[in-house]
Amino acid sequence: MRAFALGPWLLSLWLLTAGPALADNNADEADIAFELGNDAYSHGNYTEALRSYFTSYRLVPNRNVLFNIARCFEALGKFNEAYRYYNDLLGEDLPDEDASEVSRSLERLRPKVALVRVTTNPRGADVFVDRADLGSRGRSPQTLALSPGRHKVLVQKSGYRPTETTVTVTRGREVPVDLDLALITGMVDVTGTPEGAEVRDSPTGPVLGRIPVKLRLSPGQRVLHVRAAGHAPGQYVIDVPSEGTLPLAVTLNAQTAPSGRVVVTANHDGATVRVDGRPAGFTPTVVTLPEGEHVLEVESRDVRPVRQKVTVIPDQEVKVHATLRYEPPPVRAASKRLLSVDEAPASTTVLTPEELRAFGWRTLAEALAGVRGFFLTDDRTYTYLGVRGFSPPGDLNTRILILWDGHAMNDVWAGQGYAAHDLSVDLEEVERIEVVRGPGSALYGTGAFFGVINVVPRESLGLDRRLEITGAVGALGATRVHATTSWEDPQRSVLFSLAGMKSHGADTTRLGDPGPIVTGLDGEKAGTGSLRARMGNLSLVAQLHGRSKDVPTAPYGTVVGAQGTRVQDVRGFAEAKYERPLSERFVLSLRGALDLSRYKGHWNYGGDSTATNTDSGAADWLTAEARLLAGLSDDNRLTVGVEGQAQLRVDQKSVGPAVDAPLDTRTRSLVSVYALDEWRLHPRLSLSLGFRVDKYSDLDTLPLTPRLAVIGRPYEQGLTKLVIGRAFRAPNVYELFYQDNFLTQRPAEHLEPETITTFEVEHSHDLSNELRVTVAGYHNRISQLITLNSESAATPACGTASAPAQCLVYANNSGETLAWGAEAGLHWQPGRWLLVDLSYSYVTLRNASQDVVEAAPAHLASGRFLLPVGNGDMRIATQATYQSARVPGISGADGGEALLVGFGVSGDYGRLRYFAGVNNLLDTRYAFVVSDDVSAGPVPQYGRTFNLQLTGSF
């Protein structure tokens, strides 16, 4: 039996047409599969023949194999499928004899199938049967073989409204279906001068009309080109509404100078083109310009803009091709104005919105865990950030300044910086995170000791979104909900969000081995409400967050395993900011804010929740700032500012098993002035010099904190930053005045500010436009470090009359604590969703106390990998971090050594966004050794956990 009616010579033809491909494995496999299909067909095994023919077609698509597939279906009695393949084959460019053979096959099948002939106006619409999700059956005109009965025929074409109809088909007959598709349009009402000017949608396209004219166009962004004799042509970027009317006023200037044309192309279609600061269309485009020199700018989202000068010659054409490459978001925290990462006068990392979504980080601390030089400590009460080998016990993140869109979140009672669920429920409102290493007091004053972290929230959901709802579940009984609504137009926007989370925590907590095992008592609850509004140059932001955390570690001598030991924190603020340009060279920024913080600790010393003791801290304060940015020249920018703070009240109450007394209310005020001068001395060399002076009402010293940064490009692919700076941290009210009626602790009453002097050099080398290698070294000199120490007084001042004891008291350490560190990193990011980031950090401390040394790992390594799948609608993310043991003499997991691996899958499906991830994938079991005050034993860290999240926007 013949394999197909066209005869054996067609097999030879197939082999010839595949000729060059026969050199590779695919062609060989296709040949074998084709021969197996012929053999199966000749023995009447049509199902097996189909399987071989389909394999051959997948490897090397060929119309002759398609013919054999149709013959197999016909032999199996599957006439609908046979008709479809014959019909598809007829659309190929066949020789006359072959086309006649296929036509005869179709005629032979017509009595056996029910046919519907679908035609549309216009042609080329996708045809669907019964349901669109079953996939297109081809494009019109199209003849389909269907099972007898009623069917729904749907047609769709981009730019047209879909339409459908229902038909009843019977075997042996063909039913015609002719459908008209209505064009989706919007109206553009073009008026202006001069009348009669021609309107086109491309420089050389047909004339759409003459002014005044009403044009009906398809919706979306486009550029209208307007020309009139004796006038300079104009280009107008418009966004045509769907079913609406857009007024467009046109004014063409009389042409007084000769002109030429500039043809602008780019490797990104649709990039915005500006000429001399004015919009001129989207790439590719042709711009007609007057004779002379012009500044051309081409920019698109997530790429470095191209800015260059072009010289227009009369009646000639200049071609410009802009190569746009990926660029990370700019950073504001390094200089209080937006700069690129390369221009920032400090070692800087920016976590992008793509990374935040792909890795599924829920807290600021989780996001920072993989950043070069950072590490975390979780004592099940708070999460502490360590940077460059420093995270002293009880630090409360006081030496890292955490900002929320430039607003300081550290409180004024204890200086605490919130980093986990005590900052916010999640990071759904966050647009990016800016990490600036090194001293920042030259701009921000106290607390910007080791670095500044700026959490930048989004302003809106976008023009086409009004509501976003997120739901998440995870390990440890965690549930989370987040809802956001927003509205915006070009001049105004409002965003409001509410979020809440709850977790029961670990089922058991083993405090050492051997050690007590605590059941439960690890629950956590948090809630956040935030409001952002913008109206012209005025913006408002308000946020209120509360968190309650059960503590299973029996801190401060509380009863192990007893309910009721927990901490509660509330942090809120409201800020108004006004920013406007006074002229082309001067920009004024004004800011005022009201802040509050509330803390309450519940400590169970009696074995049940009714016997808890409490301590507390509360503060309210006002802040105001005025800042002027002056462009003294094209190469020199000066920022000057004055800032004031009035701490209206700072209350605290101490606690002990026999003490319950409020302490005196404290107030404090401060006035600060600062300046930052930025010079571009040469195209390859920039200089940044800043300083700040802070005057506290209750401190005798006057902290002066300078910072000098030199940024140079010693060669084309190299970037070097040299930073020398000084920062300080003023003693807070808690350190100065907290005491428990001299039971265990007395107030310090007088402390000097801590200071740090940093010397840092960082060099980056670009191996390509997307691949960068960075090495850095730094040296820190820390003086007057404030720590809680036990006195060695001849007469103990604490305890009771029958049992006197030495007091705990905050004091400045003598001498200098020194740190030397080295860092290295590799960063490759050719696009938004493709990333490889590797880093390593090493630090060694000198003249540091034992508890400071034992709180930080000497070695840190991390890797982050992000990979898009398919067209990028799905992403795979992996993060791995390694930290060495922290406690000398205790190696392995008991000393904090750990390799932590996280994995996540995320993506978008229409208006849905999803994430599924696992933290600590290897279920590494490790613990941190902390002081006896913080825990009754080493604090175990969480093992493997998961998180599932789904977000819908409407």
Side-chain angles (χ1 to χ4, degrees), residues 159-160 183-186 216-222 239-243:
Y160 295 81
L183 183 66
I184 300 173
T185 62
R216 189 165 289 279
L217 303 172
S218 57
Q221 277 196 338
R222 62 176 61 234
D239 194 349
V240 181
S242 178
E243 304 297 344

Side-chain angles (χ1 to χ4, degrees), residues 152-188:
K152 182 187 295 183
V153 178
L154 309 91
V155 292
Q156 298 178 4
K157 185 176 177 66
S158 178
Y160 295 81
R161 291 190 181 85
T163 187
E164 63 183 52
T165 187
T166 301
V167 298
T168 301
V169 295
T170 57
R171 187 173 285 111
R173 296 185 58 188
E174 179 179 299
V175 177
V177 172
D178 189 16
L179 299 172
D180 289 325
L181 297 172
L183 183 66
I184 300 173
T185 62
M187 185 74 73
V188 181

Side-chain angles (χ1 to χ4, degrees), residues 717-894:
Q717 294 81 24
L719 175 68
T720 301
K721 295 184 180 182
L722 174 64
V723 181
I724 303 173
R726 183 179 175 89
F728 81 102
R729 185 181 74 87
N732 52 60
V733 172
Y734 177 79
E735 293 167 330
L736 285 168
F737 302 111
Y738 184 84
Q739 53 96 3
D740 57 1
N741 286 355
F742 289 81
L743 184 65
T744 62
Q745 183 174 340
R746 72 170 180 84
E749 295 186 348
H750 179 78
L751 293 168
E752 293 295 325
E754 297 177 343
T755 60
I756 181 172
T757 302
T758 295
F759 306 87
E760 178 178 359
V761 61
E762 179 181 272
H763 179 73
S764 298
H765 175 76
D766 294 331
L767 299 174
S768 70
N769 289 310
E770 297 85 17
L771 179 60
R772 169 171 289 190
V773 175
T774 299
V775 293
Y778 61 89
H779 173 51
N780 292 331
R781 307 181 70 89
I782 304 170
S783 302
Q784 303 291 346
L785 187 66
I786 299 174
T787 58
L788 185 65
N789 304 308
S790 179
E791 286 189 308
S792 300
T795 303
C798 290
T800 62
S802 59
Q806 296 289 350
C807 292
L808 295 172
V809 61
Y810 281 100
N812 293 108
N813 289 354
S814 59
E816 283 187 320
T817 298
L818 308 179
W820 286 267
E823 298 175 342
L826 180 147
H827 188 88
W828 178 66
Q829 189 166 17
R832 294 175 60 199
W833 300 109
L834 186 56
L835 165 72
V836 175
D837 185 271
L838 305 174
S839 67
Y840 169 76
S841 303
Y842 170 76
V843 65
T844 181
L845 302 178
R846 294 290 184 270
N847 300 333
S849 62
Q850 181 178 352
D851 56 351
V852 170
V853 174
E854 293 178 352
H859 301 272
L860 289 171
S862 70
R864 292 184 291 127
F865 309 91
L866 177 58
L867 178 69
V869 178
N871 61 2
D873 288 340
M874 177 183 290
R875 280 82 65 180
I876 295 175
T878 300
Q879 175 173 300
T881 60
Y882 168 78
Q883 54 188 3
S884 62
R886 305 185 181 190
V887 182
I890 303 179
S891 61
D894 292 337

Side-chain angles (χ1 to χ4, degrees), residues 429-445:
E429 296 303 322
V430 177
E431 177 73 17
R432 68 180 186 273
I433 298 174
E434 304 170 354
V435 181
V436 180
R437 303 172 186 84
S441 292
L443 286 176
Y444 296 101

Side-chain angles (χ1 to χ4, degrees), residues 476-494:
L476 308 178
T479 57
R480 175 166 51 90
V481 293
H482 191 121
T484 304
T485 182
S486 78
W487 171 89
E488 71 168 326
D489 65 19
Q491 292 297 320
R492 297 166 296 175
S493 67
V494 176

Side-chain angles (χ1 to χ4, degrees), residues 483-559:
T484 304
T485 182
S486 78
W487 171 89
E488 71 168 326
D489 65 19
Q491 292 297 320
R492 297 166 296 175
S493 67
V494 176
L495 181 144
F496 176 70
S497 72
L498 289 173
M501 64 81 60
K502 185 177 182 180
S503 169
H504 64 58
D507 293 331
T508 59
T509 302
R510 178 187 288 274
L511 302 176
D513 187 14
I517 299 177
V518 177
T519 302
L521 308 183
D522 194 32
E524 184 175 26
K525 295 183 292 185
T528 306
S530 66
L531 172 68
R532 293 179 65 86
R534 173 180 56 84
M535 186 170 60
N537 297 318
L538 177 66
S539 61
L540 304 171
V541 58
Q543 181 165 299
L544 183 65
H545 176 77
R547 177 241 196 186
S548 175
K549 176 68 173 67
D550 296 329
V551 183
T553 57
Y556 307 112
T558 55
V559 178

Side-chain angles (χ1 to χ4, degrees), residues 13-24 27:
L13 177 63
W14 176 75
L15 294 173
L16 289 173
T17 56
L22 290 176
D24 61 35

